[in-house]
Amino acid sequence: MSNKDIFIEKLKASGLRPTKQRIAICKLLFQRKDTFHFTINNLNNILKNSSVEKISLATIYNTIHVFKKKGYLKEISINSYKSYFDTNVTHHHHFFNESTNEIIDLKDSDVGKIKIKKVIPGKKIKTIEVLVKIENSN
Amino acid sequence: MSNKDIFIEKLKASGLRPTKQRIAICKLLFQRKDTFHFTINNLNNILKNSSVEKISLATIYNTIHVFKKKGYLKEISINSYKSYFDTNVTHHHHFFNESTNEIIDLKDSDVGKIKIKKVIPGKKIKTIEVLVKIENSN
DNA sequence: TAATTAATTTATAATGATTCTAAAGTAGTG
DNA sequence: CACTACTTTAGAATCATTATAAATTAATTA
């Protein structure tokens, strides 16, 4: 199965028709080796330059939100200034480099077991997310 | 020293003149036993009802941001939809109740030691923040 | 205390991100 | 090919936040 076919599958599974705009977005997001952290604004800039297709902002927002709902993308909360998305949808954690505003993935296995000693009656833990803020060590 | 005097001190330390609007904001934020998690919108609503003073949104934004910069308030990143502030400025963590959107403090000592097994060359860890998402266990 | 100066408050405008809308275009189906 | 439903798009609408500039108030000085 070609990459393009995989993208078409992803789109169909998300209830979206495979259009050239959406396929261009898929290429940008999923045709890469490493995980990709991005903002909508990032995506828009890259697509404006790289892609042959002219893709409107509304289409980008739409597609990203559907992928997020479907679980093909994760949204990361680092700070209130920007909204980041992540192509790594496995359970994992993040470094945030406060000197450069760069996000780096931290594998689940790179974080030791976390013990939560407080229990909230009637609630159960759904997920534990760790954000490690780093800065230049000089 | 009365509460009001403490508020005046806080304001002065932040480089702000003690006006009645700012003192009303201080009362709301700091005259309480438990930590307070809020959005600007929350604050505005409470002030609109509770306080004798008419306080404009611009004043609220201004004051909150100065307090944040001074370290009298912390901003918490839970999700991209809302921007929350916290009157607890010690190092600590949070539960986020996804059923109710409620934030609950988790004391530093309620979280076991966290081992980060990955090192980023040239960077040092500034802080480690844990967000525990919970839901009804029905 | 009155006068002066500088900071503050406020309503409103400006901005920026995101969402909505409705007209024009395109994919899927028979 | 024709039809229908889904998409795309530009631009408008909305919402949170920030900026602005005139009116008000606090602090300072005489």
Side-chain angles (χ1 to χ4, degrees):
Chain A
M1 191 148 74
S2 75
N3 271 330
K4 189 172 169 185
D5 288 340
I6 294 173
F7 301 154
I8 291 176
E9 280 311 305
K10 271 192 144 81
L11 286 166
K12 284 189 176 164
S14 308
L16 296 177
R17 283 187 182 170
T19 63
K20 48 194 173 161
Q21 290 89 344
R22 288 174 180 158
I23 289 173
I25 294 174
C26 283
K27 275 186 188 153
L28 185 47
L29 296 181
F30 305 122
Q31 201 168 75
R32 50 176 75 230
K33 201 164 141 286
D34 299 314
T35 62
F36 179 37
H37 301 113
F38 63 91
T39 65
I40 297 284
N41 189 39
N42 285 343
L43 258 196
N44 189 222
N45 288 332
I46 301 174
L47 285 167
K48 236 180 353 206
N49 301 320
S50 73
S51 175
V52 191
E53 311 301 338
K54 202 275 174 231
I55 304 183
S56 79
L57 246 191
T59 298
I60 298 176
Y61 272 102
N62 267 330
T63 307
I64 296 307
H65 283 148
V66 175
F67 280 158
K68 182 191 163 191
K69 186 181 283 179
K70 179 66 182 175
Y72 289 146
L73 291 174
K74 252 186 165 179
E75 193 165 6
I76 325 174
S77 291
I78 301 283
N79 59 41
S80 62
Y81 311 116
K82 284 183 173 179
S83 185
Y84 294 93
F85 293 88
D86 190 340
T87 57
N88 179 353
V89 295
T90 65
H91 184 261
H92 66 288
H93 307 284
H94 294 101
F95 283 110
F96 182 66
N97 185 339
E98 297 207 322
S99 310
T100 63
N101 277 20
E102 186 191 7
I103 298 171
I104 302 170
D105 275 0
L106 228 190
K107 277 183 296 178
D108 206 12
S109 59
D110 282 336
V111 175
K113 189 165 172 51
I114 298 167
K115 195 180 301 170
I116 304 295
K117 300 173 191 168
K118 183 174 178 179
V119 173
I120 309 288
K123 308 290 168 196
K124 64 163 181 279
I125 292 176
K126 197 173 170 189
T127 157
I128 299 178
E129 297 174 6
V130 178
L131 179 62
V132 181
K133 294 185 177 170
I134 58 179
E135 60 186 347
N136 293 334
S137 52
N138 61 77
Chain B
M1 192 148 74
S2 73
N3 270 331
K4 188 172 169 184
D5 288 339
I6 294 173
F7 301 153
I8 292 177
E9 280 312 306
K10 271 192 144 81
L11 287 166
K12 284 188 176 164
S14 308
L16 296 177
R17 285 186 181 171
T19 63
K20 48 194 173 161
Q21 291 87 343
R22 288 173 179 159
I23 290 173
I25 293 174
C26 283
K27 275 186 189 154
L28 185 47
L29 296 181
F30 305 121
Q31 201 167 76
R32 51 177 74 228
K33 200 163 143 285
D34 300 312
T35 62
F36 179 37
H37 301 113
F38 63 92
T39 64
I40 297 286
N41 189 40
N42 285 341
L43 258 196
N44 189 224
N45 288 332
I46 300 175
L47 285 166
K48 237 180 351 207
N49 300 320
S50 73
S51 175
V52 191
E53 312 302 336
K54 201 277 172 232
I55 305 183
S56 79
L57 246 191
T59 298
I60 297 176
Y61 272 102
N62 266 329
T63 307
I64 295 307
H65 283 147
V66 175
F67 280 158
K68 182 192 164 189
K69 186 181 282 178
K70 179 66 182 176
Y72 290 146
L73 290 173
K74 253 186 165 178
E75 193 165 6
I76 327 174
S77 290
I78 301 282
N79 58 42
S80 62
Y81 310 116
K82 283 184 175 181
S83 184
Y84 294 93
F85 293 89
D86 190 341
T87 58
N88 179 353
V89 296
T90 66
H91 183 262
H92 67 287
H93 308 284
H94 294 100
F95 282 111
F96 182 64
N97 184 338
E98 297 207 323
S99 309
T100 62
N101 278 18
E102 185 192 8
I103 297 170
I104 301 170
D105 275 1
L106 229 191
K107 278 183 296 178
D108 207 11
S109 58
D110 281 337
V111 176
K113 189 165 171 51
I114 298 168
K115 195 181 301 169
I116 305 295
K117 299 173 189 167
K118 184 173 179 180
V119 172
I120 309 287
K123 307 290 167 196
K124 64 162 180 280
I125 291 176
K126 198 173 168 190
T127 156
I128 299 178
E129 297 173 7
V130 178
L131 179 62
V132 182
K133 293 185 178 170
I134 58 179
E135 61 186 347
N136 292 334
S137 51
N138 64 76

